Amino acid sequence: MPRDAAPIGRIMAQMAMVMNLDKCIGCHTCSVTCKQTWTNRTGVEYVWFNNVETRPGQGYPRRYEDQDTWQGGWQLNKRGRLTLKAGGRFKKLVTIFANPKLPSIKDYYEPWTYDYETLTNAPLQEHTPVARPHSLISGKDMKISWSANWDDNLGGSVDHGTKDVIVQRVSDKVRFEFERTFMFYLPRICEHCLNPSCAASCPSGAIYKREEDGIVLVDQDRCRGWRMCVTGCPYKKVYFNHRTGKAEKCTFCFPRVEVGIPTVCSETCVGRLRYIGLVLYDADRVLAAATTPDDTGLYEAQRDVFLDPHDPRVVAEAERAGIPRDWIEAAQRSPVHALINTYKVALPLHPEYRTLPMVWYIPPLSPVVDAVSDTGHDGEDRGNLFAAIDTLRIPVEYLAELFTAGDPAPVEAVLRRLAAMRAYMRDINLGREPDDTIPAATGMTGEQMYDMYRLLALAKYDERYVIPPAHAEQAHRLEELATECSLDYDGGPGMGGSGPFGEASGGATPLAVENYQALRDRQTSDTAAAPTDKAARVNLLNWDGKGRPPGLFPPPGPEQSGEQR
C-alpha cells in the first residue's frame, strides 16, 4: 500500500531537534549554559545533560556505545519481538538492589576543583604557589586523568583513538587513514525517543513521556533510585544524583518550550546549528517501526512514522485527536520536518538501538570539501565534490556507523544533496546562470534546493525555532513558573535540609575552599538566592536571547553613563 494511502492511526505531536554538524565549532557554549542552568548542584557535578564530543573519540561516558557491555536499548528476540537488551522483569527483580551494568565514576570522570584560596592568598615566596586539584566527591587531592571532554580535538588520540567503539568496527587501514583525514564535533542531549528504553526499564514508573509534546521526564517523587534507567538508556543520558538518590536527565528545557522559547543549549549556540520544531507522528506505527527486522531499515521505518502535516487527512485526524490548530500550523512550518522528510538531509543517531530517537543530525560535508581542497582542486566544484563522495569512503563508513546502522547509501545521498546545494548556490551567488541539472541529479528542484539553502544558511530566529506555546489553564503563569523548575529550590529534590550554614545549605560536602566561602556567603545573605556581589541571581532559563540578561553585567557608573550619553 502506498504511504500516502495507508490508514492513519492515533496522531500525536512531538517536539524534536535537528543539529547541523557542519556548523559546530566545538566551543562548548551549549554545554556550559546547560550546566549553569540545570546541573550546578551538589550530587551532579559530573553530569552534563548536554555535551560536545570530538569524533573519533570514546565519548561521555567512556565507550557508551558499547552495548555489549552496557546493554542499553532494545533488541529483537528469536520470535522477532522487542525486548530490553538488559533483560526483562524477572532479571530486573533479581538484580534490583545491585545493578551491575552501570558506568562507574571513572567512566564519566571524577569532578574536581582547585584550592584557589591557597593560590591567591599565598605570601610572597621564591616559588609560585600551586592550586592543587581536589575531588568534588571525596575532597582529597587527585590526579586528573579523564574528563567529559578528554578527547577534545583528538587530544590523546594516539593513546585513546583506537578505543572508539565505531573505529573498532572498521579495518586497520580505515582506522589509520581516518585519523589523518578529518574530525568533527557531535553535540549530544537526551534523544527524547518515541520508544524510550529508559522508561521501559524503570521499575517505579518514574520516567514518563509527556503526551502533549513527547518530552521524556523523570518524576522525582516516584523515583526510587534503582538506576535501571541508566542501564536501559543506550545513549547514557540518564544520570544518578548521589546526593538525592534520584535519577535526572535532560528536560528539553520544558519550562521554556511551554512558553515558546527554545532550549538553553539552542538559544546560546554560537554556530546556530540547532533547529527545534514540532512533528506529527502515527503512534500506532511506532512498534512496527521499532521491530523492523533489519537494522539498516530502521532509518526509513522511522521516517514512515512521521506524518505530512500538509495532508488534509492528517490535519483532520489531528484536530479530531485534540491537537490545537496552532500546533498543526507549527508542524507545517517545522524546520525539523522539513530537514527530515522534505529535504531528507537529517539522520538519527544510532537507530540500531531501536528507541526511535528524536534528535537528528545533518552529517558534516566539510571533511569532504577540505579533503578535495587539500589536493589543490576546487572544493566547491560539483564534479570534484561528487567524485570525492564516491571515493572518500572512510568518512562515509564512519558516519554510516553513527547514523544509519552501517548502511552508507543514505549517508551518501545526504552528502550528495549538501554538495549539490553548495555547487548550485555558488553559481547563483557569483551571478551565473544556475544549472538545474545539479538539483535534478539528487531528486530535487531548484526551488527546493534554494529553500533548503535558506534554512541551513540564512534562517532567521523564528525559522529555526518554531515552538508553539503550551495550552493550559495556567498558560499565563508558565513564564513565572519557569523560575521554579530548577531542582535546587528550597525544599526541592536538589536540596537536603539543614547544613553547616543554616537551612537550605544542604549536607556538609567536602568541597574546595572557594566553594565553602561561596556557600557561606550565600547562606548568610538576606535570602538564599541573593549573592552579596550582585543584585539578583542571573536566570538564563527565562532569557529570550534578546538584549542583556538582568544582572549579568554590573550597572554602568556615572562616568560610563556620561560616555554612553
Side-chain angles (χ1 to χ4, degrees):
M1 181 181 297
R3 180 179 177 183
D4 294 339
I8 300 175
R10 183 165 52 103
I11 295 183
M12 300 186 72
Q14 168 84 37
M15 293 303 304
M17 181 182 292
V18 170
M19 302 191 206
N20 185 355
L21 299 185
D22 244 351
K23 290 186 174 183
C24 186
I25 61 174
C27 66
H28 301 275
T29 303
C30 53
S31 301
V32 173
T33 51
C34 176
K35 182 76 172 177
Q36 177 65 22
T37 304
W38 290 105
T39 60
N40 60 347
R41 293 164 285 106
T42 304
V44 286
E45 295 91 345
Y46 76 99
V47 170
W48 296 84
F49 286 169
N50 181 108
N51 71 290
V52 182
E53 302 169 356
T54 297
R55 289 304 182 132
Q58 297 185 62
Y60 162 79
R62 199 175 338 200
R63 291 175 56 83
Y64 70 91
E65 294 160 305
D66 182 7
Q67 303 312 328
D68 292 336
T69 299
W70 305 124
Q71 298 185 358
W74 303 88
Q75 65 182 1
L76 297 180
N77 61 18
K78 295 180 179 179
R79 290 186 286 182
R81 294 181 179 177
L82 207 61
T83 60
L84 289 169
K85 199 173 182 68
R89 294 181 180 180
F90 178 76
K91 185 175 182 180
K92 283 182 169 46
L93 182 62
V94 172
T95 62
I96 195 167
F97 293 108
N99 181 7
K101 299 298 181 181
L102 290 172
S104 68
I105 194 66
K106 293 182 180 180
D107 294 309
Y108 293 100
Y109 73 103
E110 187 169 357
W112 72 87
T113 187
Y114 299 93
D115 187 0
Y116 293 108
E117 185 147 321
T118 297
L119 182 65
T120 56
N121 294 344
L124 182 64
Q125 53 187 287
E126 181 181 356
H127 301 289
T128 303
V130 176
R132 296 181 59 85
H134 293 302
S135 169
L136 283 173
I137 296 178
S138 66
K140 299 179 181 179
D141 291 351
M142 61 174 289
K143 180 181 179 182
I144 301 172
S145 59
W146 192 257
S147 78
N149 191 30
W150 202 257
D151 293 320
D152 192 34
N153 293 338
L154 298 181
S157 60
V158 175
D159 295 327
H160 303 293
T162 56
K163 298 176 183 177
D164 182 333
V165 175
I166 295 179
V167 169
Q168 290 182 340
R169 296 174 187 166
V170 296
S171 67
D172 292 340
K173 178 181 178 181
V174 172
R175 195 160 33 204
F176 172 72
E177 293 292 336
F178 171 75
E179 184 178 328
R180 294 176 52 189
T181 303
F182 75 96
M183 70 174 193
F184 64 94
Y185 302 106
L186 181 71
R188 290 203 306 120
I189 64 171
C190 167
E191 297 287 329
H192 296 277
C193 308
L194 295 182
N195 184 36
S197 53
C198 60
S201 301
C202 179
S204 306
I207 299 185
Y208 63 100
K209 188 173 181 65
R210 298 210 306 189
E211 184 176 357
E212 62 270 28
D213 55 17
I215 295 175
V216 179
L217 299 174
V218 181
D219 186 336
Q220 294 288 302
D221 292 330
R222 298 188 66 177
C223 179
R224 295 294 178 266
W226 301 120
R227 289 171 282 184
M228 297 294 178
C229 54
V230 180
T231 301
C233 176
Y235 305 96
K236 291 297 173 277
K237 278 299 177 180
V238 184
Y239 305 93
F240 182 68
N241 185 329
H242 58 82
R243 165 79 177 280
T244 64
K246 307 285 187 179
E248 297 185 19
K249 62 179 293 298
C250 161
T251 66
F252 211 81
C253 290
F254 70 89
R256 294 173 59 95
V257 170
E258 286 174 350
V259 293
I261 303 175
T263 62
V264 168
C265 59
S266 301
E267 187 80 77
T268 58
C269 176
V270 173
R272 300 182 180 181
L273 60 96
R274 300 181 187 230
Y275 300 81
I276 298 178
L278 200 69
V279 296
L280 302 179
Y281 70 97
D282 189 339
D284 294 338
R285 298 183 192 174
V286 169
L287 180 60
T291 53
T292 301
D294 189 357
D295 285 351
T296 57
L298 286 164
Y299 159 61
E300 286 294 343
Q302 185 171 355
R303 282 189 59 246
D304 287 340
V305 171
F306 302 141
L307 300 172
D308 182 3
H310 298 280
D311 187 339
R313 294 190 308 142
V314 172
V315 173
E317 288 294 331
E319 290 179 336
R320 194 174 295 116
I323 298 177
R325 182 67 194 185
D326 60 334
W327 278 51
I328 297 174
E329 293 173 354
Q332 293 172 344
R333 297 185 293 112
S334 170
V336 172
H337 178 268
L339 293 170
I340 292 176
N341 264 3
T342 304
Y343 308 131
K344 302 178 183 177
V345 292
L347 302 170
L349 180 64
H350 288 300
E352 68 272 18
Y353 298 158
R354 299 180 181 273
T355 60
L356 305 188
M358 289 308 297
V359 177
W360 288 40
Y361 296 86
I362 300 175
L365 182 67
S366 295
V368 182
V369 177
D370 293 341
V372 174
S373 300
D374 289 343
T375 64
H377 295 86
D378 186 353
E380 301 285 350
D381 181 79
R382 165 178 65 145
N384 293 338
L385 268 178
F386 284 0
I389 293 172
D390 287 336
T391 58
L392 198 60
R393 300 293 301 171
I394 302 165
V396 173
E397 288 180 356
Y398 190 90
L399 294 172
E401 291 289 344
L402 269 178
F403 301 124
T404 56
D407 183 7
V411 179
E412 289 177 348
V414 171
L415 294 178
R416 283 180 173 274
R417 288 191 183 95
L418 297 175
M421 181 189 72
R422 290 198 182 200
Y424 182 75
M425 291 307 303
R426 187 187 191 195
D427 287 339
I428 295 178
N429 293 331
L430 293 178
R432 297 197 291 250
E433 190 69 23
D435 184 356
D436 289 334
T437 62
I438 297 177
T442 60
M444 300 178 68
T445 65
E447 183 178 2
Q448 285 179 322
M449 189 145 286
Y450 181 83
D451 290 341
M452 181 173 74
Y453 163 76
R454 175 174 177 78
L455 183 58
L456 293 179
L458 304 174
K460 296 181 179 180
Y461 185 93
D462 57 356
E463 294 172 317
R464 287 184 286 122
Y465 309 129
V466 181
I467 306 171
H471 284 258
E473 292 180 359
Q474 291 117 356
H476 64 282
R477 292 189 60 244
L478 285 176
E479 189 165 1
E480 286 78 12
L481 290 174
T483 60
E484 303 173 4
C485 75
S486 183
L487 299 180
D488 59 347
Y489 59 87
D490 289 351
M495 304 303 292
S498 299
F501 305 116
E503 292 296 324
S505 64
T509 306
L511 301 179
V513 175
E514 81 284 359
N515 301 79
Y516 182 92
Q517 301 289 350
L519 184 61
R520 184 180 64 181
D521 291 343
R522 179 166 69 84
Q523 293 303 321
T524 55
S525 59
D526 293 336
T527 65
T532 56
D533 59 336
K534 293 182 181 180
R537 181 174 293 181
V538 179
N539 189 351
L540 288 177
L541 194 64
N542 282 336
W543 181 42
D544 62 359
K546 301 175 183 178
R548 297 183 177 185
L552 184 62
F553 299 102
E559 297 180 359
Q560 293 174 324
S561 300
E563 292 175 0
Q564 291 176 355
R565 287 195 297 266

